Amino acid sequence: MAFKTIIVENEDHIALIKLNRPDALNALNATLLTELSQALVEADKNSKVRCIVLTGSEKAFAAGADITEMADKTFVDAFGGDLFSEFPNKFLRVRKPIIAAVSGYALGGGCELAMMCDIIIASDTAKFGQPEINLGVMAGLGGTQRLTRFVGKSKAMDMNLTGRFMDAEEAERSGLVSRVVPAKKLMSEAMATAAKIAEKSALATMAVKESVNRSYESSLNEGLLFERRVFHSLFATEDQAEGMAAFMEKREPQFRDK
Ligand code: CO8
């Protein structure tokens, strides 16, 4: 499918989705959000794809929701039209792991988009922020919720109240990103990580994604029970038998997603 605001490349078992509005630092307008949802749904359905990588440009992962599209909206438009609710609903239904490869600005909705992904790998040039306060509004897609869970209350308040940016080093120290690499190595690191995940049983990687995400949506006891039940259910798969047999036979496993 031809898209206007994103570029999709399928490489081996990886769907690489690049945000592509260079003139607006990949600001998330309605077209981009629709196209991104479509590309994600397609990648999730495509049986060849085992992991998804989402990235932007060297200068910006995404500088937030498109301010020019929001500027004239009223409360009735925003609340009545349930602004920005369709996109996360679709995004969060994707069952395959999604890696955000972030270089440059990840601000507002851009930071929130990265946080909706399963792993964030950052280049040393990355800057994260929730600067909506400077526009007289606040975060609307997880900037007060996910960010608080990732970096704690004090830093989340700091970023949301002052609008200051967090650099890559601070983001790694605070638990927002999983690793920081030199800008030149960002894509090779993200693709190598995706390739590593693609080698695993897809049943197991989907189970991991569901279980880790459950930890944000339930009490510890409920989350632990959910995790244990999913763990039990993986013993119904051939991949479990193969993975454990391969370990004992000192060979590489051949997963068949069965
Ligand atoms: N929306 C629209 N256009 C943008 C945006 C944006 N968020 N960010 C940058 N641009 C445009 C600029 O207007 C400029 O366009 P032009 O060349 O036509 O004037 C072009 O991109 C380049 O930007 P700058 O010249 O400003 O580049 P600088 O390097 O000087 O500055 C910054 C880079 C610091 C990133 C700066 O552009 C900036 O502050 N951008 C706005 C950041 C921001 O406030 N983001 C939050 C937006 S609100 C939001 O995200 C709410 C989220 C709600 C949910 C979202 C669901 C998806």
Side-chain angles (χ1 to χ4, degrees), residues 23-25 27-28 33 59 63-68 70 84 105 107-109 112 131-132 135 140-141 165:
D23 296 343
L25 301 184
L28 309 166
L33 293 175
K59 182 163 182 194
D66 192 310
I67 299 167
T68 61
M70 283 187 297
F84 299 136
Y105 296 111
L107 304 178
E112 294 169 309
E132 291 93 334
L135 301 169
L141 194 66
F165 301 164

Side-chain angles (χ1 to χ4, degrees), residues 4-33:
K4 284 190 203 140
T5 59
I6 60 172
I7 297 169
V8 182
E9 288 164 12
N10 286 333
E11 288 182 26
D12 297 326
H13 296 297
I14 304 163
L16 172 61
I17 304 178
K18 292 184 193 171
L19 307 182
N20 187 36
R21 293 189 70 212
D23 296 343
L25 301 184
N26 293 329
L28 309 166
N29 66 1
T31 308
L32 188 148
L33 293 175

Side-chain angles (χ1 to χ4, degrees), residues 232-252:
H232 294 160
S233 70
L234 288 173
F235 284 81
T237 67
E238 290 175 18
D239 283 346
Q240 172 271 330
E242 166 62 11
M244 294 191 183
F247 174 81
M248 291 185 297
E249 290 159 20
K250 301 192 187 306
R251 59 173 174 83
E252 286 300 311

Side-chain angles (χ1 to χ4, degrees), residues 92 95 203-235:
L92 296 173
R95 300 187 71 200
L203 296 170
T205 60
M206 284 191 296
V208 168
K209 174 166 174 161
E210 246 177 78
S211 294
V212 174
N213 283 333
R214 186 55 70 109
S215 75
Y216 289 102
E217 287 144 20
S218 58
S219 68
L220 181 59
N221 269 341
E222 281 168 16
L224 288 169
L225 178 62
F226 180 83
E227 178 192 70
R228 198 157 58 247
R229 294 300 181 223
V230 177
F231 169 72
H232 294 160
S233 70
L234 288 173
F235 284 81

